[in-house]
Every structure is written in structure tokens, then in C-alpha cells.
Amino acid sequence: MEFREAKNKFVQTWGALGSQWGINKTMAQIHALLMISHEPLSMEDIMEELQISRGNASMNLRALMDWGIVYKEFKQGERREFFTAEKDLDELAVKIAQERSKREIKPALKVLKEVSTGVKDDKSAEAKHFTDQTEKLYDFVLKADNMLEKATEYKDNWLAGLVMKLMR
Amino acid sequence: MEFREAKNKFVQTWGALGSQWGINKTMAQIHALLMISHEPLSMEDIMEELQISRGNASMNLRALMDWGIVYKEFKQGERREFFTAEKDLDELAVKIAQERSKREIKPALKVLKEVSTGVKDDKSAEAKHFTDQTEKLYDFVLKADNMLEKATEYKDNWLAGLVMKLMR
DNA sequence: AATAACTTTCAAATATTTTTGAAAGTTTGA
DNA sequence: TCAAACTTTCAAAAATATTTGAAAGTTATT
């Protein structure tokens, strides 16, 4: 297999994976590209390689930086900006877990708490079951989120760390 | 808060969460509705409650059944079919983890293996770095997938099970 | 302060995904 | 076997998300 072909295949696959996980294709592709690039890339490089517009590149790079998994880099005597991806995979996983918790799980928990404790007067079997079920869901999601949080505190040795935390 | 209002809020929130995780909104909403319903619902019920078309309901119910998290149920002397959701949350988590592994992680692993071992002749630093990085990625994703698999084998007591598996 | 080299923004265009609804398909019971 | 009661399919329509590109903004250099 040609290097070029392999690279392309990787970028495409990573991009497709991204869409299935609620991240947009270009964002995931830029990330893929930066992951395997041995030196920082400029916006031009990225536009060229992925055949995308300047605006698209700019917006998705900003999004990646907001996630904390891509960094700006300044090169000696170069005016333009270069970008690199977080290459430490444990660190990458931690960042992604933290962001998803913050953006998705925490807000969902808030609503779950509201709805599971909010229906007071209705004594019907229906309402009873609703409160019961959403309460269980709240507990479950909260537990999962806590585990995620604890696991990420330890990165490299997350399992040992998690066990210790949970056993105390 | 009214029961109706709480129910609606829950269904909406679960739906929004679904979209962020690559599951479509209606599918997630149907699931939410079935989760909190104390008795099986017919397709009519679901269409009515969520204000969606017959085709939409049919397709998304089939998808939920393919995921193994919604079941058909037959009622005594009733011609039409009723649906219920998996309500055991541990079981639900296991099913989701298994499906995602099968549908997304496994195929990605296949490609990662291909590209990480496929570039043989190119001796450039670029190609070297590519092979190196994709290899690391392969190992990482494989490890994560294995852990997921092992954890799900134990459901209720997944942590103990996981620790035992990994320590052997 | 003016210019050049770059980046960001955002409204409009494009692409993708989801939804609809009517026709085709299936199953049950008379 | 037929008709009634239901479900599935799928092409077209609608909704949503992404992308473009040009104008506005920013920063560094002279």
C-alpha cells in the first residue's frame, strides 16, 4: 500500500467515525490529519490536503481547540499559525471524556433531576412509574459520570486509581 | 410540575441527547417514551404521542429492535403489536456497548490494522511517523474495546469482574 | 499610519439526513 | 379465499447540518 493511500484511508475512516459520534466529518478529518502529521500544519496545508474552504478549516480548527485536543503553534519567524494535535492518547481520551461530560452528561443530569423530583401532586400509577424510572436513570447516569470523572483523574493508571477511589 | 410537562421535557431531552450521540432524534424519543411508559405502547400510541408519521414510527421501532433495546409484545386477543423498552439499565448499557463495538469500533480497528501495517516500502520520516502513530492508535482502541467487552460480561458487578479478568 | 499577510465571520448555497404518506405487503379470521 | 386490520417500504419533500467564499477583522512589518 502506498503511504498516500494509507493516509487517505485513515483520514476517511476517522472522519466517518466522527460523524457516528456526533462530531462533524471535517472536524474529525482535520484531527486525523494532525494526529499522523509529524510536523505542525498550517491552515493552507489542511485546506489543500482535505480540499476544503478557508472558512470551513477555520471554524473546525477553532472547534478542535475548544475541545482542547488541537493546539496553535508559532514557528520562529513565520507569520502564519501552525496546528498540532494532542498525540498522547491517554491525554486525548481524558480531554474527550471531560468535554462530553461537561457538554452532554451534566446538562442531561440536570433535567433528569428536575423531572424525577418535580412531579409531586399526581398520584396516578403512570406518574408514579415515571418518577420511579427517571429516578433510576438519574442514579445510573450520575454513577457513570462519577466513574468517568474518577477514571480520568488517573489517566495512565486509571484502573488502579478507580478501584482505590471506589473502595475507600 | 405537571406530569405531562415532565414527561415531555424528559422525552425532548433524551431525544436531543440521542442526536449528539449519532442516534436520530425520533429513535431516541421513542425509546424515552417506552422507558417511562408503565405499559406497552402500540404504534398508534407512539405516533399520537410524538406526532410523527406511521413510516417514521415503523422505521425507528425496527432500528430500536435491531439494537436489541426494544421488544415486540403480543397482547391476548389483540391483533396489533405492542412495544416495550428494556428497562434494566445495566442490561441497556451492555446492549448499547455491544452494538457500538460491533458496528463502529470493530470496523475501525480493521482499518487501523490495515493502515498501520500496510505501508512497507516507504522509508521517509513521514511514513515512519504515520505507521508509528496508527500502530499506537490501534493498540489503544483495541485495549479500550477489550475492556468494554470484559466489563459487559459481568453487568451488575462489572468492576470486580473486570479487575479479575485483567489480573489473571 | 499604511500596507501586506494572514484569520475569522456569516449569509447564502449545498449536501445530508430525516420525515412523510401512499402504495405494497403481510397476517388473521370468517 | 377474501377482506379487514394492521405493518413495511421507499421515493419525494422537508428539515437540518455543513460548506463556501467574500467581506470584515486582526496583527506584524515597514
Side-chain angles (χ1 to χ4, degrees):
Chain A
M1 186 161 34
E2 292 277 340
F3 168 51
R4 185 124 216 113
E5 183 193 347
K7 187 170 161 182
N8 213 55
K9 201 164 181 177
F10 173 69
V11 170
Q12 292 305 317
T13 304
W14 210 242
L17 209 62
S19 339
Q20 287 171 321
W21 284 79
I23 285 160
N24 95 41
K25 199 183 64 178
T26 306
M27 191 171 151
Q29 286 182 344
I30 293 177
H31 183 249
L33 192 59
L34 291 174
M35 286 266 290
I36 54 169
S37 182
H38 68 308
E39 51 180 20
L41 300 180
S42 70
M43 209 154 97
E44 288 289 342
D45 295 335
I46 293 166
M47 288 164 58
E48 165 68 22
E49 188 85 39
L50 300 179
Q51 292 291 308
I52 57 173
S53 71
R54 192 171 290 289
N56 198 2
S58 173
M59 282 179 134
N60 283 300
L61 278 167
R62 134 140 348 239
L64 284 163
M65 290 188 297
D66 288 347
W67 275 74
I69 57 179
V70 161
Y71 314 111
K72 256 187 195 160
E73 205 150 287
F74 297 94
K75 274 197 194 171
Q76 262 300 1
E78 273 276 13
R79 181 71 122 52
R80 74 217 148 115
E81 300 164 339
F82 289 82
F83 301 90
T84 22
E86 175 59 62
K87 291 201 185 67
D88 176 336
L89 297 178
D90 290 308
E91 191 59 40
L92 179 66
V94 166
K95 288 262 173 80
I96 290 175
Q98 285 176 342
E99 282 297 310
R100 296 205 79 139
S101 168
K102 192 173 76 189
R103 293 170 195 231
E104 295 151 22
I105 303 179
K106 294 268 157 50
L109 273 173
K110 187 161 168 290
V111 176
L112 276 175
K113 174 133 232 169
E114 279 169 33
V115 299
S116 71
T117 58
V119 182
K120 302 277 190 204
D121 302 333
D122 194 328
K123 302 296 186 214
S124 68
E126 252 191 311
K128 179 79 180 53
H129 183 264
F130 173 84
T131 296
D132 210 60
Q133 195 65 19
T134 48
E135 212 168 81
K136 277 186 196 149
L137 213 41
Y138 175 78
D139 291 342
F140 186 83
V141 176
L142 183 63
K143 210 169 101 192
D145 188 49
N146 281 338
M147 275 177 1
L148 202 63
E149 205 160 85
K150 277 162 190 160
T152 59
E153 277 169 30
Y154 288 87
K155 277 202 284 186
D156 309 316
N157 201 204
W158 70 268
L159 181 60
L162 178 56
V163 173
M164 273 163 52
K165 276 265 178 181
L166 291 177
M167 289 198 167
R168 261 201 300 128
Chain B
M1 187 163 30
E2 291 277 341
F3 168 51
R4 184 121 219 115
E5 183 193 345
K7 188 170 160 183
N8 212 55
K9 201 165 181 176
F10 172 68
V11 170
Q12 293 305 318
T13 304
W14 210 242
L17 209 61
S19 344
Q20 287 171 318
W21 284 78
I23 285 160
N24 95 40
K25 198 183 66 180
T26 305
M27 189 169 153
Q29 285 182 343
I30 293 177
H31 183 249
L33 192 60
L34 291 174
M35 286 266 290
I36 55 170
S37 182
H38 69 310
E39 52 181 20
L41 299 180
S42 70
M43 207 154 99
E44 287 291 341
D45 295 336
I46 293 166
M47 288 164 58
E48 165 67 24
E49 188 85 39
L50 300 178
Q51 292 291 308
I52 58 174
S53 72
R54 191 170 291 287
N56 199 3
S58 174
M59 283 179 132
N60 283 299
L61 278 166
R62 130 132 2 229
L64 285 164
M65 289 188 297
D66 288 348
W67 275 74
I69 57 179
V70 161
Y71 313 111
K72 256 188 194 159
E73 204 152 290
F74 297 94
K75 275 196 192 170
Q76 261 303 358
E78 272 276 14
R79 179 67 169 306
R80 74 215 149 117
E81 300 163 339
F82 288 81
F83 302 89
T84 21
E86 175 59 63
K87 290 201 185 66
D88 176 335
L89 297 178
D90 290 308
E91 191 59 40
L92 179 66
V94 166
K95 289 261 173 80
I96 290 175
Q98 285 176 343
E99 282 297 311
R100 297 206 78 141
S101 169
K102 191 172 76 190
R103 292 170 195 231
E104 294 151 24
I105 304 179
K106 295 267 157 50
L109 273 174
K110 188 162 168 288
V111 176
L112 276 176
K113 175 134 231 169
E114 279 169 33
V115 299
S116 71
T117 59
V119 181
K120 302 277 189 206
D121 302 334
D122 195 327
K123 303 294 186 213
S124 67
E126 252 192 313
K128 179 80 181 54
H129 183 264
F130 173 82
T131 296
D132 210 61
Q133 195 65 19
T134 49
E135 211 168 83
K136 277 186 196 149
L137 212 43
Y138 175 77
D139 291 342
F140 187 82
V141 176
L142 183 64
K143 209 170 104 193
D145 188 49
N146 281 338
M147 275 176 4
L148 202 63
E149 205 162 85
K150 275 161 190 161
T152 59
E153 278 170 28
Y154 288 86
K155 276 201 286 188
D156 310 317
N157 200 204
W158 70 268
L159 182 59
L162 178 56
V163 172
M164 271 165 52
K165 276 265 178 182
L166 290 177
M167 292 202 165
R168 259 200 302 128

